[in-house]
Amino acid sequence: MHSSSPPGGAGRCFLRKILGTSSISLPRGCVRYQGDSQESSAQPSSSRHGQSQLRNVAFSGAIKKHQKSLSAWFSHQPNEERQFGPSFSLDAVHVDPVIRESSLEEILKPSPDLTIQNQLQQPCRKVISLHNLFDVDACGRQVKNVVLYGTVGTGKSTLIKKMVVDWCHGRLPRFQLVIPFSCEDLSHSHAHVSLRRLVTKKYQHLRDVVPLLEASGLRVLFILNGLERLNLDFRLAGTELCCDPNEPVPPSAIVVNLLRKYLLPEASIIVTTRPSAVRRIPGKYVGRYAEICGFSDTNLQKLYFQMRLSQPGCSGEESQDRRSAEQENLVEMLSRNLERHNQITAACFLPSYCWLVCTTLHFLYFTRTVPPSQTLTGIYTSFLRLNFSGEVLDSSNPTHISMMKYVAKTVGKLAYEGVMSRKTCFSEEDLRQCFEVEMKTESELNLLEVFRSDVFRFFLSPCVQPGKEHTFVFTIPAMQEYLAALYVVLGEKKTLAQRVGKELSEVLGKVSEDVAVLVNIISKVLPLRFLPVLFNLLKIFPRYFSRVGGKDKDTIAHTMAEELFKEEDYYNDDVLDQINSSILGVEGPMRHPDEAPDDEVFELFPIFMGGILSRRNRAILEQLGCSIKNLAAFEIAKAMKKTVIRKGRRGLPPSELMDYLFFLHEFQNERFTAEAVLSLRAVNLSSVKMTPLKCSVLASVMSTTCHEVEELNLTSCNLDSGSLRTLFPVLLRCKALHLQLNSLGSDACKEIRDLLLHDKCAVSSLRLANNPVGEQGARYLAEALAGNRSLRQLSLLHTALGDPGAEAIAQHLAHNQHLQELNLGYNSLTDAAALRVVEVAKRHETLDKVHLYFNDISEDGKRALDSLRMERDGVRALVFLTAGTDVSDYWSHILSVVQRNLPFWDRERVRQHLALLLQDLESSRSQTANPWRKAKFLRVESEVKKMLGELQDGSL
């Protein structure tokens, strides 16, 4: 079902919009063709004349204009398609879902157990292609009416879009004219109208063609999309017969008579509908039933992902080679995960979820900047809008409850209870408790039956884990947390007393308004002074309840804070990495079936709560029938300041801090975010894999204020030059900047040069240790040193500078007037380069400490450096653990640096350097007679020997 547009409901929402509001009406689903008409082989001359006339009409300008207009509309993609990823045409990315020929008997019989084996990798009997739906049936009769049905998300609407586009481009020659209608659009029209007027009103180009529909023998196809929106009555007493295209009748009567073959009997009709509405058309009027089975073959899923993720526009402005490599890697990892028959395989049975997977991957991997509209919550909210916008669960039910509202009340309750009890698998009893316990009326039971038939599998699917085949899980794991969040934010989580109190308060509130006038009149005529008192008592309860109701907002804020800062989740991966793993799987050995599973993690739940409260998502949810008032959102945000911001001030582990920043981004409340960020004076994200998306989120959140950040720790975060460009505004305001262990080369150093030369740069301490800076990178940094006025400490420990890099630093160091400490340790410097740096440092006004340990400095160089005196030369060189015949004051600092960086250094080279340090210590100890100094030497020697021993044993 999927194409460039989101499958199933995704395309449906777009169809509905253009069908209902433009001059061209577009349908939502596929129709069936009935086969009771007999075609005669011999035709009279008048018929041949009609065919000749038809041929002229078919190729007339009116038909071509109609095709051009339809093609333009149906080739358009929904806003969400352009918003959350590159937009593709139906011709570029489309995989037909499996269509299986069915029968009314199969539809009416009880459904089999919903096991994964019933959905995936089973040979589909009677598979039929879209273009063969109108072939003769098993009895040789020509099919004229086709009913194409499928549950929400299987791809009905996108399939119809593809059918129309194919006809516009000449790939459906069976029909000379295609006329699509939206049944939702027809359901809103109550005025009588003729078929001729109905067609020309929506398709003005067909004004000259419509009069010929009946007389010309034109092979015409009517598409009626979304039949479940119409209440059809096929009884003669309910819908009178009509065979005149010019006779005004209700729109539902036109549909009924078309399907009866009483109106335009030679026309073909394809109807799309949900399973619950299939029986609204009597079987005698249906020539073929066809069920859309989605991507019931994993090969179709792989094909879709291959086509979608390999599109040139998918990865933005990356270089071609890098883009292709990353796209191929994504497709390969996703394919391997599908082959394991993991839960994602069951999810992608629905083409709609394939769209969601691709959109989420695009968000995770190819987002370079995050505009306000691009949030994870926004993706899920828009995904639901594409599938459920305007959808009523049962149009024949007087409540007309929106489908999404029903889902939020029922499935949301199940999701919330699962989150609170930390479980993702649900038994039949769990489902019964959530769906059936409160059933009191026939109407409620009917709604549940429609839900089970049409919507259930969209949200819940059989578990694929061994031993859990008869339990259900949410089709997409994150959807459980989204619906749980929606359930809470909508205020559905209420006690019985709260529900009764709310209803009573509303009743009393209305009664008090009506009684007010009467009480005032009576009190003036009769001396009944107690009446006003009773009236005021009536008004007390609603006022009191409104105050108590305000506590609900505090409860929501408290729930959000408690879930956001759960200590047991502190050292999990951040939520973005968790989503990535749920889609692409975890590489490595498979878990043994008997091995105890990890505890379930629900860290997206509070983040979705915040995201749902954003103005944009509330506006979309309003369209779905889930209203969250501005005042409620304001009160929740106000309550959150007492809980979320207060808890966010305490020190959080890096992954948890990333989740907190992501929560602030999802919340989309700039004032709230600014207040929260002001409390973050130090930001430690070390070891968090900072993807382009995370960098963009960090930059976006931190941009809400202009305060200086005391420390930003981005050690071992997989940064590159692109990351630094994204974070540039944030880095400018950081005093201490840690960029160690990030594989930052010369390109990144160019960005750092621009940062340090910026007139608003506040960086005073910069650590670049263990990065492949190299000679060219050193030249960029040297240029930065010459013009920078804020930097006081610069660490280039183990950055592969070599002598040329050190020379470049020394050459420009003379122009710097503010640097106080420079670390050039472990850079393979020889005597000449080391002494050159020290000579420049001696003349520097503020530089008083140069780290040169673990370089290739000879004994002569050591003696020359040992002769330096702080009081005389103004600089101290840290080279060895000794200072003449005494232990260096910095021996513990040097050894701690070695110990911290040992996992990233060449162990053999470290061992050699430690051996030289030990030899130097022993030599210096032998040259002093001072027992106090000897004791200090022995202590340091023992530390070095201990480190050498641990290095030898591999325990260090």
Side-chain angles (χ1 to χ4, degrees):
M1 110 145 234
H2 232 77
S3 81
S4 73
S5 74
R12 171 194 324 145
C13 176
F14 175 73
L15 291 180
R16 183 184 303 119
K17 181 172 76 171
I18 61 178
L19 283 177
T21 59
S22 88
S23 61
I24 295 184
S25 174
L26 303 184
R28 263 190 35 181
C30 293
V31 183
R32 283 261 172 118
Y33 306 58
Q34 161 160 354
D36 289 339
S37 64
Q38 301 292 329
E39 292 188 359
S40 173
S41 58
Q43 297 180 345
S45 59
S46 61
S47 176
R48 287 195 296 271
H49 177 71
Q51 283 192 344
S52 175
Q53 185 180 13
L54 169 63
R55 223 173 276 114
N56 294 333
V57 173
F59 294 97
S60 68
I63 296 291
K64 290 181 179 179
K65 286 181 181 180
H66 180 60
Q67 287 178 323
K68 184 178 179 181
S69 181
L70 281 183
S71 177
W73 277 114
F74 279 87
S75 297
H76 261 284
Q77 301 303 328
N79 290 334
E80 284 76 9
E81 185 72 13
R82 299 188 295 273
Q83 179 180 335
F84 298 115
S87 183
F88 309 121
S89 68
L90 282 171
D91 289 336
V93 180
H94 179 82
V95 178
D96 282 328
V98 173
I99 303 174
R100 182 181 65 87
E101 189 167 1
S102 181
S103 65
L104 188 59
E105 291 74 20
E106 289 185 44
I107 298 170
L108 296 179
K109 73 179 181 181
S111 58
D113 292 337
L114 285 176
T115 62
I116 193 65
Q117 288 76 16
N118 289 332
Q119 297 181 34
L120 299 172
Q121 299 297 353
Q122 294 296 312
C124 257
R125 295 170 299 135
K126 304 178 183 176
V127 173
I128 188 170
S129 71
L130 181 66
H131 291 183
N132 294 330
L133 288 175
F134 292 95
D135 288 352
V136 295
D137 62 14
C139 299
R141 293 174 298 184
Q142 183 64 43
V143 172
K144 287 293 184 181
N145 289 353
V146 173
V147 172
L148 185 66
Y149 68 95
T151 58
V152 174
T154 49
K156 301 182 294 294
S157 297
T158 304
L159 201 61
I160 287 304
K161 288 177 66 176
K162 183 64 166 60
M163 187 177 193
V164 173
V165 170
D166 281 351
W167 176 75
C168 292
H169 295 138
R171 294 191 290 268
L172 196 64
R174 181 191 295 267
F175 302 107
Q176 295 168 305
L177 179 62
V178 171
I179 303 177
F181 282 107
S182 165
C183 291
E184 180 187 7
D185 191 23
L186 296 177
S187 70
H188 295 314
S189 176
H190 303 292
H192 287 214
V193 64
S194 68
L195 175 61
R196 178 175 179 178
R197 174 60 182 154
L198 190 64
V199 173
T200 56
K201 182 179 178 182
K202 292 187 175 296
Y203 304 106
Q204 298 178 9
H205 300 302
L206 299 180
R207 285 191 304 267
D208 298 330
V209 177
V210 171
L212 303 175
L213 285 179
E214 191 173 21
S216 64
L218 190 68
R219 296 194 305 275
V220 62
L221 169 65
F222 286 96
I223 299 178
L224 302 175
N225 193 36
L227 186 75
E228 67 274 1
R229 299 306 299 268
L230 286 175
N231 292 320
L232 303 180
D233 188 350
F234 280 81
R235 298 172 305 161
L236 287 177
T239 303
E240 62 182 10
L241 295 174
C242 173
C243 62
D244 184 2
N246 298 309
E247 180 182 351
V249 293
S252 60
I254 293 177
V255 173
V256 168
N257 281 290
L258 283 172
L259 291 168
R260 283 171 173 168
K261 291 302 163 196
Y262 202 73
L263 181 63
L264 300 184
E266 295 304 316
S268 297
I269 303 173
I270 185 166
V271 176
T272 65
T273 186
R274 302 200 304 257
S276 63
V278 169
R279 66 195 72 182
R280 293 185 187 179
I281 306 176
K284 63 181 179 179
Y285 297 127
V286 180
R288 175 170 284 129
Y289 292 96
E291 178 185 10
I292 300 184
C293 300
F295 293 156
S296 55
D297 185 344
T298 53
N299 289 324
L300 292 178
Q301 299 174 12
K302 291 181 185 179
L303 178 61
Y304 177 83
F305 291 131
Q306 176 74 36
M307 294 176 66
R308 179 80 189 221
L309 294 174
S310 299
Q311 288 295 306
C314 189
S315 56
E317 299 177 357
E318 292 287 325
S319 66
Q320 181 66 38
D321 293 341
R322 180 175 177 179
R323 177 183 64 199
S324 299
E326 190 161 20
Q327 289 171 325
E328 289 174 6
N329 185 50
L330 279 180
V331 173
E332 178 62 27
M333 292 178 68
L334 193 52
S335 295
R336 285 202 298 269
N337 206 20
L338 290 171
E339 288 167 2
R340 298 188 190 107
H341 294 284
N342 286 339
Q343 203 63 50
I344 189 175
T345 314
C348 293
F349 164 76
L350 294 173
S352 285
Y353 276 111
C354 292
W355 179 87
L356 181 60
V357 166
C358 288
T359 302
T360 305
L361 286 176
H362 185 274
F363 179 68
L364 292 176
Y365 281 88
F366 304 123
T367 299
R368 298 295 179 258
T369 58
V370 279
S373 58
Q374 282 224 3
T375 64
L376 186 67
T377 313
I379 289 176
Y380 275 75
T381 306
S382 296
F383 170 69
L384 292 174
R385 188 190 74 82
L386 287 167
N387 285 278
F388 295 102
S389 180
E391 289 287 344
V392 174
L393 184 60
D394 185 3
S395 61
S396 62
N397 191 288
T399 62
H400 284 85
I401 184 173
S402 78
M403 188 178 287
M404 197 62 229
K405 180 69 172 178
Y406 186 88
V407 168
K409 290 166 69 72
T410 55
V411 187
K413 179 183 178 183
L414 179 72
Y416 173 75
E417 292 180 354
V419 168
M420 290 297 102
S421 58
R422 315 286 280 187
K423 70 177 184 180
T424 57
C425 292
F426 303 93
S427 65
E428 285 284 358
E429 179 60 23
D430 295 327
L431 299 183
R432 192 188 68 80
Q433 288 291 328
C434 279
F435 293 115
E436 298 179 12
V437 161
E438 298 182 6
M439 294 286 117
K440 301 182 182 67
T441 65
E442 182 73 14
S443 175
E444 290 175 334
L445 189 58
N446 289 339
L447 286 176
L448 178 60
E449 288 301 314
V450 173
F451 170 80
R452 282 187 174 276
S453 171
D454 298 348
V455 192
F456 180 85
R457 286 198 294 176
F458 185 85
F459 292 104
L460 293 159
S461 60
C463 184
V464 300
Q465 295 180 26
K468 297 183 178 181
E469 290 84 357
H470 297 289
T471 62
F472 295 88
V473 296
F474 278 83
T475 308
I476 289 286
M479 189 60 76
Q480 177 179 354
E481 298 174 78
Y482 181 94
L483 292 177
L486 183 61
Y487 178 77
V488 173
V489 174
L490 285 175
E492 295 294 338
K493 186 178 75 71
K494 290 186 175 71
T495 63
L496 178 61
Q498 286 174 323
R499 293 180 186 275
V500 172
K502 184 174 185 296
E503 294 173 2
L504 185 58
S505 134
E506 290 173 352
V507 170
L508 291 179
K510 292 176 181 177
V511 169
S512 65
E513 293 174 3
D514 298 331
V515 171
V517 178
L518 182 61
V519 169
N520 287 331
I521 293 173
I522 294 177
S523 63
K524 291 177 181 178
V525 177
L526 300 175
L528 301 177
R529 300 180 181 276
F530 65 89
L531 286 177
V533 176
L534 288 176
F535 170 65
N536 288 328
L537 286 174
L538 270 178
K539 294 195 293 184
I540 285 176
F541 184 80
R543 290 173 183 170
Y544 173 75
F545 184 80
S546 67
R547 293 193 185 98
V548 174
K551 298 295 182 182
D552 291 347
K553 313 302 185 296
D554 292 337
T555 303
I556 292 173
H558 179 74
T559 300
M560 201 179 303
E562 288 298 316
E563 293 297 321
L564 189 60
F565 300 111
K566 271 184 177 290
E567 292 189 9
E568 57 262 41
D569 295 335
Y570 266 15
Y571 298 98
N572 297 326
D573 290 339
D574 63 78
V575 292
L576 292 174
D577 283 349
Q578 291 175 29
I579 294 172
N580 182 68
S581 298
S582 72
I583 295 175
L584 299 180
V586 179
E587 297 296 316
M590 300 286 287
R591 182 190 297 275
H592 192 275
D594 298 331
E595 185 179 348
D598 297 332
D599 292 336
E600 299 293 349
V601 177
F602 297 97
E603 294 183 83
L604 267 175
F605 169 56
I607 292 175
F608 277 143
M609 287 177 69
I612 286 170
L613 287 170
S614 71
R615 183 181 298 275
R616 180 179 178 277
N617 285 318
R618 283 190 287 118
I620 296 175
L621 287 168
E622 180 77 32
Q623 301 172 21
L624 298 175
C626 300
S627 178
I628 304 170
K629 302 300 182 185
N630 287 334
L631 181 60
F634 173 78
E635 290 176 346
I636 294 172
K638 185 178 178 181
M640 284 167 57
K641 290 184 179 180
K642 307 172 188 175
T643 54
V644 174
I645 293 181
R646 177 171 52 83
K647 291 194 173 188
R649 288 194 182 104
R650 61 194 191 190
L652 297 172
S655 62
E656 195 70 12
L657 178 57
M658 187 68 240
D659 289 347
Y660 182 42
L661 295 171
F662 189 58
F663 165 81
L664 295 175
H665 168 71
E666 293 284 312
F667 191 33
Q668 294 289 298
N669 185 321
E670 190 169 335
R671 182 178 299 177
F672 181 93
T673 300
E675 189 170 339
V677 169
L678 279 172
S679 65
L680 298 177
R681 292 292 174 177
V683 179
N684 180 11
L685 295 173
S686 60
S687 300
V688 173
K689 185 179 179 182
M690 294 298 291
T691 62
L693 172 61
K694 294 177 192 175
C695 290
S696 196
V697 166
L698 175 60
S700 174
V701 169
M702 297 298 289
S703 68
T704 55
T705 70
C706 297
H707 78 289
E708 285 189 351
V709 181
E710 293 295 332
E711 181 180 5
L712 177 59
N713 190 343
L714 295 175
T715 300
S716 188
C717 287
N718 292 85
L719 300 180
D720 56 19
S721 57
S723 307
L724 297 181
R725 277 193 297 273
T726 301
L727 294 171
F728 193 91
V730 180
L731 303 182
L732 276 177
R733 295 154 38 205
C734 297
K735 291 185 177 180
L737 185 55
H738 301 264
L739 299 176
Q740 306 97 300
L741 293 164
N742 276 298
S743 300
L744 299 177
S746 58
D747 289 344
C749 290
K750 191 174 182 180
E751 301 296 330
I752 295 173
R753 177 198 64 183
D754 297 340
L755 171 72
L756 295 175
L757 291 177
H758 198 281
D759 57 355
K760 293 184 179 179
C761 179
V763 178
S764 61
S765 175
L766 176 61
R767 298 183 181 277
L768 286 169
N770 300 307
N771 282 297
V773 171
E775 178 184 346
Q776 184 57 49
R779 295 187 187 281
Y780 289 134
L781 296 176
E783 293 175 26
L785 280 177
N788 177 270
R789 291 179 294 180
S790 64
L791 198 60
R792 300 295 181 268
Q793 296 175 318
L794 175 62
S795 174
L796 295 174
L797 175 71
H798 191 223
T799 51
L801 300 182
D803 285 355
E807 287 286 349
I809 296 287
Q811 181 180 353
H812 288 78
L813 194 56
H815 301 289
N816 179 284
Q817 300 177 357
H818 305 279
L819 194 65
Q820 297 173 357
E821 184 175 354
L822 176 64
N823 191 334
L824 299 179
Y826 203 153
N827 272 298
S828 302
L829 305 188
T830 60
D831 294 357
L835 292 172
R836 169 82 171 117
V837 171
V838 170
E839 284 300 319
V840 175
K842 288 166 64 176
R843 297 191 296 273
H844 198 282
E845 293 182 9
T846 59
L847 185 59
D848 60 12
K849 195 182 299 179
V850 179
H851 300 249
L852 292 170
Y853 38 81
F854 275 58
N855 280 303
D856 300 332
I857 298 175
S858 66
E859 283 296 322
D860 292 339
K862 174 184 177 300
R863 283 193 292 272
L865 294 171
D866 277 346
S867 65
L868 292 173
R869 295 292 179 269
M870 184 67 190
E871 60 278 4
R872 183 189 69 206
D873 302 306
V875 66
R876 186 184 302 276
L878 310 184
V879 185
F880 287 89
L881 303 181
T882 60
T885 57
D886 199 358
V887 174
S888 170
D889 293 337
Y890 299 95
W891 70 268
S892 61
H893 170 76
I894 294 173
L895 289 183
S896 67
V897 168
V898 174
Q899 191 148 14
R900 283 198 310 269
N901 290 279
L902 190 57
F904 322 110
W905 290 358
D906 183 336
R907 287 176 172 258
E908 178 58 28
R909 186 171 180 186
V910 171
R911 190 192 63 76
Q912 294 174 5
H913 276 285
L914 287 175
L916 289 174
L917 291 177
L918 182 61
Q919 187 180 23
D920 180 62
L921 285 167
E922 293 171 344
S923 174
S924 298
R925 176 167 55 84
S926 65
Q927 296 175 20
T928 181
N930 188 316
W932 175 245
R933 288 185 178 179
K934 283 183 179 292
K936 287 204 299 184
F937 274 116
L938 287 172
R939 180 190 171 191
V940 177
E941 287 175 30
S942 68
E943 291 291 333
V944 175
K945 288 177 180 178
K946 179 182 175 183
M947 193 176 291
L948 276 170
E950 292 176 346
L951 190 61
Q952 191 74 24
D953 298 339
S955 58
L956 189 62

